[in-house]
Amino acid sequence: MPRRDDIHTILILGSGPIVIGQAAEFDYSGVQACKVLREEGYRVVLVNSNPATIMTDPEFADATYVEPLLPAPVAKIIERERPDALLPTLGGQTALNLAKALHDDGTLERHSVELIGANYDAITCAEDRELFADAMATAGLEMPESAIATSMDDAQEALPRLGLPCIVRPAFTLGGRGGGIARSEQEYEQIVKRGLEASPIGQVLLDQSVLGWGEFELEVMRDKADNVVIVCSIENIDPMGVHTGDSVTVAPQQTLTDALYQKLRDQAIAVIRAVGVETGGSNVQFAVNPSTEEILVIEMNPRVSRSSALASKATGFPIAKIAARLAVGYLLEEIDNDITGVTPASFEPTIDYVVVKWPRFAFEKFPTASPTLTTHMKSVGEVMAIGRTFSQAFAKALRSRELDKPPVPRACSDEELLAGLETPTADRYEAILELLRRDVGIDPIHARTSIDPWFLRELERLAKDPQAPFAGERSFKSVDTCAAEFPARTPYYYSGWERKATHEVTRGERQSVVILGAGPNRIGQGIEFDYCCVHAAMTVRESGRDAVMINCNPETVSTDYDTSDRLYFEPLTLEDVLGVIEVEKPEGVIVQFGGQTPLKLAAGLVEAGVPLLGTSVEAIDLAEDRGRFGELLERLGYQAPPYATACSVAEALEKAQDVGYPLLVRPSYVLGGRAMEIVYSSDGLADYLRREAPTGDDKAGHPQGLQSQVSGEPGTPHTAPETQARPTIFLDRFLENAVEVDVDALCDGHEVWIGGIMQHVEEAGVHSGDSACVLPPHSLGEEMLEQIRAATRDIALGVGVVGLLNVQYAVHDGRLYVIEANPRASRTVPFVSKAVGLPLAKLACRVMLGERIATLELPTGHEGLGFGDHVSVKEAVLPFDRFDGADSVLGPEMRSTGEVMGIARDFPTAFAKAQAAAGSPLPRSGTAFITVTDSDKPGAFAVAQILHDNGFQIIATRGTAEAISRMGVPVLPINKIGDGSPHVVDWIERGDVDLIVNTPTGFGARTDGWEIRRSAVAHGIPCLTTLSAGVSAARAIAQAIKLGEPDVLSLQELHSGAHASPDGAPVA
Amino acid sequence: MSTRDAYVLLEDGTRFDGESCAAATHAVGEVVFTTGMSGYQESVTDPSFAGQLITFTYPHIGNYGVSERSMESERVWARAAIMREACNNEDSADAERGWLDWLTDCEVPAISGVDTRALVRHIREAGAMRGGIFPGEITEAQAQALIAAEPSMAGLDLASVVSPTTASLHGDGDGPLISVIDTGIKLSIVRNLIDRGARVVLHPCSTSAQDVLAEDPDAIFVANGPGDPAALDYVADTVRELVGKKPVWGICLGHQLLCRALGLETYKLPFGHRGANHPVKDLQTGHVEITSQNHGFAVLGPGGARTLDTNEPVRWDTDFGTAQLTHVNLYDRTVEGFELLDVPGGAVQYHPEAGPGPHDSLHLFDRFLARIAEAA
Ligand SMILES: Nc1ncnc2c1ncn2[C@@H]1O[C@H](COP(=O)(O)OP(=O)(O)O)[C@@H](O)[C@H]1O
Ligand SMILES: Nc1ncnc2c1ncn2[C@@H]1O[C@H](COP(=O)(O)OP(=O)(O)O)[C@@H](O)[C@H]1O
Ligand SMILES: [Mg+2]
Ligand SMILES: [Mg+2]
């Protein structure tokens, strides 16, 4: 059947900010869909609030809206754009839920928009656990004994039948948020309560436990003629009980007999038919009891997912691309498999290698949160590795994780380690490998983890001889979907080790440029960097060279084989990268776009004689070495906050005196302000140093290398911080109540061009990655802006940057201080590019390839403030709701997982949009609770005043209440927790609070504030933890009340008038 | 399990090293590859692999051991297994014995640690050819001599080797009586027939039409099996005598033999179809099914075409009237099945019984029995 021509305009919903459970995989899927649908001649309208996505680059859609993924704004977009169809299956849970809402509130019907891909009934059937259970029963498929509860009473009633442990899963939440495993009656109550709160429809599914059964996923595709194929089977090495997103998984499945696997296959097909997904991909999860061969259906996702992205990268079968074609009427047999070019997509990929996926965790950022792995997802990213054998892939995956420190099992006796295995944690595999090395055998481990013996035997061999998988010669083989039965056209490679090297790389004659990716998403290094790498690839191709991508993150656009001329799916360690360089012989390597990851390799590459493009290693070091950078600033006549570096605890305590308190302390060479804290006294400092045992002092405690040994790479760069004899502690004078400013600039070594100047909403002290920022700055005078531009120019030239530079400043008492300079693409590059309508990363790449800024024909009169009359606000999105016990107060250590952008004609409206997009829409009425530190009390009244004038009831704790009423604003004083009930937390729990402004009352004594913020997070109430954010919020609310639902404007409209960008496209 | 140096040598001199990991002997024959990712035991016990050395493209083979119920015949027929990473674990729930121990018991040699992908790419380019696996102490010259001594697959009658010597009855259902010309039938096929109530008599492939007709079956089934159909004219002749008298159905080699009985031609594919992921379009339902495949020869389309450029149910004129295309392979567009329009009968080239492979086509057995009923 041909493509549908009864539809012309198709609306695609993105998945919004990167959050745990929804990451870059949806940018990857969305980009593929946009490309395909436009190739097919459809008009594509895209909505996504996440500026760091490739899909929101204007050239990927006909109309691109960076707006909150909420019914109201999207309804406005539908009114303006009049799409014929809405494709909701590419934006994860967010898009599905939003599509559902737009159907329920009648918007879709009113504008006669058809849901394609998955229709309304299929979505509800798959997402509503009760309907799903019925559908499975009708199809004769088994599920775990279960009950649906919408109240605690339902839950209590069901317990006797289900027994403990019991699995609690909220309906319609992402990655199982709010769910868990109840092992005792008390836990049962807690988790059910939490689950009911977390579920948007107040519903939880209570499942009888099948903990320890094998967990399998099948990726299924169906076309509208009811042809079904299984793209890939995925086996979770961690059995049932650890969320698939947190499990180490392997493709294809390893342990099932053909007979049993075919049963799974039959059932997966039965599921997609029963749910009624007419076209596209679905992910079906099963629990399998290997000894009884019982199979239970766990769930299905009627959309592309994290697993489908993984399956696409693992097999070369582009699920999202094909799903998009199916959605507009094609049949599988009518679509080409672009890897072979000669066979149709109506087949099942077969592979002749093994793929291992490893989650990347961030527990170190949430010390107070529980580190156990359970049924709700906690990992922030993942890596994938391909090898010819399981052990090759597993070891490559280990080293791909790029941990700051290889986790070393704390407990040391066999007994302790074994006991530790009973509850799954992020470092369980390190413990398992350690035990296997000690020869405890696989049985005691199997007994505690239920991990299939086959995997344990493989790990045992690996533990005993970490180098074994890498015997022989590195051999680059291609991913071809067909185990070499047909020649592959698509150059997508991985390294295996064979007796003799038999490279399959077809290099061609053209010069190539290697772009090093950013590796796993993690807090501090996210999708923004992948965005830049993709732009680099585009630019290199446009320059007539071959773009060669090296990366190991399966979620990303950079690891789509369409993005570059050759893709090497490899770990980003020096050894692995040099392996690629050996066969590629590139003209140069780009290390500037992948965040800290490639930067760490720069020196090693140069030593190995590899030419770098752009900023030299020498210059990188000049910017990153505190000492040398300090001297440079002095020479240039700019100020840095007083600072010192120390190599030992003693030295730190001593030098702290000269620098002066308050101090900002941190270990060296870390991204995202890892372990960065503000200390107010020498006691505070001593305490910090005790907790964050500086690496220098505890080297002994870290026998170098469990992890690096097993990954077959002694002393890989990811352990560099430990192995370098550099200062290990940095002490900076902490500038209180300073305004922080971020600048992204472009330099060709002779000339500097200011890309964008961003003023932070929160004051310095809140990590740049966690604070909201606005472009153009909303309260810096032109004189200060000039100083900032001048300083940026001098620093860029002084350092010798060729490419991008990011400088962070603090404006304190009207004085400009330089906080740091990063000689690379920064987290804010995508945001700035979209705000000013110029593709910073592409421009930088052209400079690195030899062009001069002068020849880039950059528009003038911009001065880092953007064009036109719009204001752009970036807001960070934080994962506190996933880590019970984590404090949501912002600090110098970055903890956000993603970001959103709000664009409007004025700052308050843009800020309001950003808040809404970030998941905490500001209220328009109700009760505002204010409690602030003494230093903030004078300012608190301003917030109260605005809110009061706009009809809010103001409540506050006694001290704050006095400060406010003294200024004549009516306020109701309420109890602190200490004063007894009804106290503030009771108010919040009762749902009587709609907005919270709570600045931490001094450091240390946080208990009350902590409780407040926790319940705010639990109940999803907007909670601002700095006064500046509080003021902005109040002004935003006032503006929203005055103007009503804000207008929506596409990026194309926004930038068309403004200017034409160098490469034609308004923005890129 | 002792590991010793061993190597694969092809008749064109290409060599791949590995370790021998089962019976310590050598083996020669046609070197083929299968792309299925599971079902190694089903494959080596499938009589269609007689005379062949199987290269498994999936690297890990043996993961879940071997068990009685995965047998496709009473013994191993493949001459050897060529693997990247063989495994002998016995601790899978399903395992009755370790894969390599079992091969050793069956005196079947195997080699592991081979760059099977490089080997497959070579066969893909150069075509399936003779070759062998040899323990290190055998010199390449000796090995070449052994290979040369091995007749090549074209023109080879292997059916007589795998066929039973006496007839036997299976099943006691009240369904039709089906006489099978057993050129090496897989147990999955027998099971699928019996499960649907049929009684099945397996005849030696040298049986005569008279003997078969004597038991007055409701239908004839020509089985799968090894080797070159062109070398089995004596079987084709038997079939020829049966067509028109009884409904005649076939699978794989049976498909080729029925065609030859009808006067159609077969030819050797460059490297065959062996795996579990080939898309085949059923022209009667319009559905695309993912099929299990295991054949090195194929049937020429109407007008002697090796590949069909349409999805239309094109027709042949045969000695028994018109035959109509029912199935086409969407990978290389070769003939995958046909039905006779003037007399009852038809066949498919692929393996609806799976074992190993997907179950998409099991319904063909229902269609097959329905046709028998109609004919009765
Ligand atoms: N009945 C059960 N017994 C044990 N573990 C379970 C059960 N049901 C689900 N799980 C675990 O919880 C995880 C999340 O459940 P799932 O239904 O997939 O929710 P999500 O929508 O978050 O993916 C699964 O990956 C599995 O490991
Ligand atoms: N001297 C200082 N005074 C006040 N705040 C500071 C100071 N130095 C750093 N900060 C805050 O800490 C955050 C992280 O510091 P930074 O040097 O940027 O580390 P990173 O390399 O993680 O970005 C900054 O964004 C800023 O908010
Ligand atoms: Mg799931
Ligand atoms: Mg910074």
Side-chain angles (χ1 to χ4, degrees), chain A residues 254 265-266 293 350 504, chain B residues 35 58 69 117 359-360:
Chain A
Q254 301 292 327
R265 185 181 175 280
D266 295 345
E293 303 205 338
T350 185
E504 296 175 17
Chain B
T35 62
Y58 190 67
R69 61 179 185 168
R117 183 171 167 91
H359 297 160
D360 292 7

Side-chain angles (χ1 to χ4, degrees), chain B:
Chain B
M1 170 185 82
S2 73
T3 74
R4 287 146 59 265
D5 288 354
Y7 62 99
V8 177
L9 188 67
L10 301 178
E11 62 183 300
D12 66 2
T14 320
R15 172 182 170 137
F16 299 89
D17 290 337
E19 313 93 39
S20 101
C21 57
T25 59
H26 70 271
V28 293
E30 184 180 41
V31 177
V32 298
F33 66 87
T34 178
T35 62
M37 293 186 283
S38 52
Y40 48 88
Q41 184 188 353
E42 291 86 339
S43 296
V44 294
T45 56
D46 174 351
S48 304
F49 276 109
Q52 297 175 318
L53 291 76
I54 306 178
T55 308
F56 292 93
T57 61
Y58 190 67
H60 290 276
I61 299 294
N63 296 15
Y64 47 79
V66 296
S67 64
E68 188 54 41
R69 61 179 185 168
S70 303
M71 299 294 283
E72 280 298 331
S73 71
E74 74 297 333
R75 56 162 282 190
V76 175
W77 285 108
R79 295 228 173 124
I82 301 172
M83 300 166 285
R84 172 63 178 80
E85 189 87 348
C87 164
N88 194 50
N89 293 10
E90 282 179 9
D91 39 21
S92 143
D94 194 70
E96 290 157 21
R97 188 120 175 77
W99 156 247
L100 296 175
D101 292 342
W102 177 70
L103 285 177
T104 312
D105 298 348
C106 304
E107 292 166 358
V108 177
I111 185 170
S112 182
V114 171
D115 184 346
T116 46
R117 183 171 167 91
L119 171 54
V120 167
R121 282 163 57 88
H122 182 75
I123 295 176
R124 184 185 76 207
E125 301 306 328
M129 63 182 85
R130 287 170 303 170
I133 68 174
F134 307 90
E137 54 270 18
I138 297 186
T139 67
E140 267 190 53
Q142 294 166 319
Q144 276 300 1
L146 288 161
I147 296 170
E150 176 70 15
S152 83
M153 190 54 68
L156 207 58
D157 168 8
L158 286 164
S160 56
V161 179
V162 300
S163 189
T165 47
T166 59
S168 59
L169 171 67
H170 303 262
D172 49 13
D174 48 16
L177 176 67
I178 299 174
S179 302
V180 174
I181 304 204
D182 185 355
T183 44
I185 197 163
K186 283 168 67 185
L187 289 179
S188 306
I189 295 177
V190 177
R191 260 184 244 116
N192 269 289
L193 292 172
I194 290 175
D195 292 350
R196 289 168 174 77
R199 284 164 304 133
V200 174
V201 183
L202 303 180
H203 291 275
C205 63
S206 55
T207 189
S208 72
Q210 292 69 15
D211 293 354
V212 173
L213 291 169
E215 68 197 11
D216 187 30
D218 300 288
I220 312 294
F221 179 87
V222 193
N224 63 294
D228 182 352
L232 299 175
D233 285 342
Y234 65 97
V235 185
D237 293 341
T238 313
V239 176
R240 190 177 173 84
E241 288 176 52
L242 295 165
V243 181
K245 301 194 179 70
K246 297 284 178 186
V248 182
W249 295 86
I251 286 180
C252 198
L253 179 66
H255 170 258
Q256 298 155 11
L257 289 172
L258 178 53
C259 285
R260 295 184 68 85
L262 301 171
L264 305 179
E265 281 305 304
T266 54
Y267 68 99
K268 193 173 196 313
L269 293 163
F271 51 87
H273 295 168
R274 292 175 190 87
N277 72 331
H278 280 223
V280 167
K281 190 174 176 82
D282 180 332
L283 303 180
Q284 297 178 347
T285 62
H287 272 241
V288 177
E289 292 168 358
I290 304 303
T291 64
S292 179
Q293 300 256 342
N294 178 13
H295 60 108
F297 294 83
V299 171
L300 289 173
R306 289 188 170 216
T307 61
L308 307 149
D309 44 18
T310 99
N311 287 340
E312 294 309 305
V314 292
R315 299 178 169 193
W316 295 258
D317 296 327
T318 78
D319 305 352
F320 293 83
T322 309
Q324 175 169 306
L325 184 73
T326 57
H327 295 84
V328 60
N329 184 311
L330 296 184
Y331 260 177
D332 61 4
R333 307 212 55 92
T334 52
V335 174
E336 286 284 352
F338 71 94
E339 265 192 44
L340 290 165
L341 300 185
D342 304 320
V343 295
V348 289
Q349 180 62 68
Y350 63 97
H351 290 269
E353 77 281 4
H359 297 160
D360 292 7
S361 309
L362 286 177
H363 66 90
L364 273 194
F365 286 94
D366 302 318
R367 189 188 294 176
F368 170 36
L369 289 172
R371 292 280 193 280
I372 293 175
E374 290 161 19

Side-chain angles (χ1 to χ4, degrees), chain A residues 87-100:
Chain A
L87 182 51
T89 52
L90 298 157
Q93 197 72 46
T94 303
L96 276 190
N97 293 355
L98 180 51
K100 228 174 145 294

Side-chain angles (χ1 to χ4, degrees), chain A residues 589-592 599 602-603 606 611-624 745-749 795-796 798-806 822-825 844 847-849:
Chain A
V589 176
I590 295 183
V591 297
Q592 226 179 73
L599 227 50
V606 169
L612 290 195
L613 297 183
T615 311
S616 71
V617 173
E618 165 56 20
I620 293 170
D621 188 68
L622 178 53
E624 287 199 330
L746 192 59
C747 177
D748 60 10
I795 292 171
V799 166
V801 169
V802 178
L804 279 166
L805 174 74
N806 164 264
N822 297 310
R824 53 167 172 81
V847 165
M848 295 163 73
L849 291 171

